[in-house]
Amino acid sequence: MAKPPLPPPVPPEIERLARLIPGWANATITWRMLAGGITNTNYLATLDDGSAFVLRAPGARSELLGIDRAGEVEASMRAAQIGVGPAVIGELPELGTLVTRFMPGSHSEFTPERLLVVVDLLKRFHNSGPLKHRFPIFRVVEWHARDAARLGVATPSLFEELHRHSARIEQVFCARGEPVVPCHNDLLPANVLFDGDDAVLLDFEYAGMNNRYFDLGNLSVNSELDEEADAGLLHTYFGRVTQADHACLQLMKIMSEFREGMWAVVQQAISELSTTDFRQYADQRLENCRRLIEQPQFEQALIDASEVATPIPSVTSE
């Protein structure tokens, strides 16, 4: 019996749009699906001259996850210009995606030396000037709850409790009066690519103006950094480790888990991928958020973060 034909390595629509990229119309393109990713599907396109590029097919209704495609373009272009992200070689607006140069490397565990490199990338991005898109973290968790309910997903039982505490955290940060800066807002280990001593940040889908401590807390909690590593992160970024800095980092770890959990609640309604159990993912993240709040250090962190002894120093990269 004849074997059924294999499915094409890339959807025809992506192939058609890729042919519109200057120089690609008649090129020989070898396609391969890239592993990883729990929102989008990523493809590696290798041309006959050996150059390689990444195209992403965005997940369905991804705007409900807090993604603004115009904001992603601006942030990705900025990151490429200042050397903290892959080079952008084109945009496919019909698909709502970018074409970026493929970067070799690996997603490795953060050693203290590698953490220095990642923090330097963040400092450069944070200091690169305003972006048009905003990512107000305290509103984002509320938007996710609203959208999930509208799509028929039950609001998690933990939401009201966590939201009450997030309001307390918001009061602290409002009182601090710090300016928002360009933030990546999705610092999973899979979004940091190391190549020897160098690294780049990947996937600026959620990038936008936010509090810098959110990026630091997001990086820490997603990388499961311990107290010593947290101190190293803060010292590298600020050149100091104060009680207030440490407290702000701990509070934004809570907001990172809250956001990640509510993001996964929305995914339960819209995701077309079968590789992730988003209900379990949401439960795990929201439970960890509650665990962080229930630690005895939480109340003290609210106090310590309110005590701003000195202004945040300049964080320009050396």
Side-chain angles (χ1 to χ4, degrees):
M1 180 181 294
K3 294 182 179 179
L6 294 174
V10 64
E13 182 64 6
I14 293 181
E15 173 86 29
R16 183 186 71 80
L17 292 173
R19 294 294 175 181
L20 301 178
I21 299 171
W24 288 32
N26 299 309
T28 300
I29 306 176
T30 302
W31 293 96
R32 178 167 63 87
M33 185 184 295
L34 294 172
I38 56 176
T39 300
N40 311 299
T41 306
N42 301 297
Y43 297 96
L44 177 67
T46 304
L47 305 190
D48 41 14
D49 64 0
S51 55
F53 306 89
V54 176
L55 288 82
R56 182 178 59 243
R61 295 183 287 177
S62 56
E63 70 279 359
L64 295 173
L65 299 172
I67 296 172
D68 180 276
R69 294 300 174 190
E72 179 191 7
V73 170
E74 182 186 18
S76 299
M77 295 284 194
R78 172 78 58 77
Q81 290 167 357
I82 64 175
V84 305
V88 178
I89 68 128
E91 181 184 359
L92 299 179
E94 301 93 333
L95 195 60
T97 193
L98 298 171
V99 182
T100 58
R101 187 170 295 279
F102 174 73
M103 305 289 289
S106 61
H107 308 288
S108 304
E109 183 178 352
F110 289 173
T111 63
E113 294 75 20
R114 282 182 167 162
L115 188 60
L116 295 177
V117 175
V118 178
V119 172
D120 179 68
L121 297 178
L122 283 179
K123 290 165 63 175
R124 289 155 62 187
F125 190 61
H126 289 173
N127 288 342
S128 65
L131 297 171
K132 293 178 182 177
H133 182 56
R134 300 179 69 84
F135 193 86
I137 185 56
F138 299 102
R139 303 288 76 77
V140 168
V141 293
E142 296 170 345
W143 295 341
H144 286 341
R146 175 201 65 196
D147 291 337
R150 183 170 58 83
L151 293 167
V153 181
T155 302
S157 59
L158 280 176
F159 177 79
E160 291 301 329
E161 175 189 350
L162 301 182
H163 185 241
R164 184 169 63 254
H165 289 297
S166 76
R168 301 175 68 200
I169 296 172
E170 182 178 11
Q171 288 180 342
V172 169
F173 280 95
C174 285
R176 290 176 63 86
E178 297 158 358
V180 292
V181 299
C183 288
H184 184 281
N185 298 316
D186 193 28
L187 290 165
L188 299 165
N191 286 337
V192 182
L193 186 70
F194 291 97
D195 184 17
D197 294 331
D198 298 322
V200 291
L201 303 178
L202 305 176
D203 293 345
F204 288 81
E205 288 185 296
Y206 298 95
M209 303 298 286
N210 196 7
N211 188 288
R212 72 183 75 237
Y213 283 103
F214 181 80
D215 260 0
L216 299 178
N218 188 234
L219 174 64
S220 175
V221 74
N222 284 326
S223 303
E224 299 181 352
L225 300 186
D226 59 19
E227 285 288 326
E228 183 178 356
D230 275 352
L233 184 157
L234 291 170
H235 190 273
T236 300
Y237 192 96
F238 294 112
R240 69 184 190 199
V241 184
T242 68
Q243 283 188 322
D245 294 331
H246 182 266
C248 288
L249 180 70
Q250 304 311 311
L251 295 177
M252 281 302 191
K253 286 184 185 182
I254 292 169
M255 291 309 304
S256 176
E257 291 295 80
F258 193 14
R259 174 265 182 142
E260 193 76 12
M262 294 309 299
W263 171 92
V265 174
V266 179
Q267 282 280 35
Q268 292 172 40
I270 67 175
S271 178
E272 296 177 346
L273 301 178
S274 60
T275 53
T276 302
D277 182 341
F278 283 109
R279 180 167 184 170
Q280 181 183 54
Y281 188 93
D283 289 346
Q284 289 174 343
R285 291 300 187 125
L286 294 176
E287 186 58 42
N288 193 45
C289 181
R290 180 170 68 173
R291 183 186 63 81
L292 292 172
I293 289 172
E294 290 180 344
Q295 290 183 342
Q297 301 94 318
F298 172 63
E299 295 295 334
Q300 188 61 46
L302 291 172
I303 297 170
D304 291 343
S306 301
E307 298 175 359
V308 185
T310 57
I312 291 179
S314 171
V315 291
T316 51
S317 181
E318 294 296 335

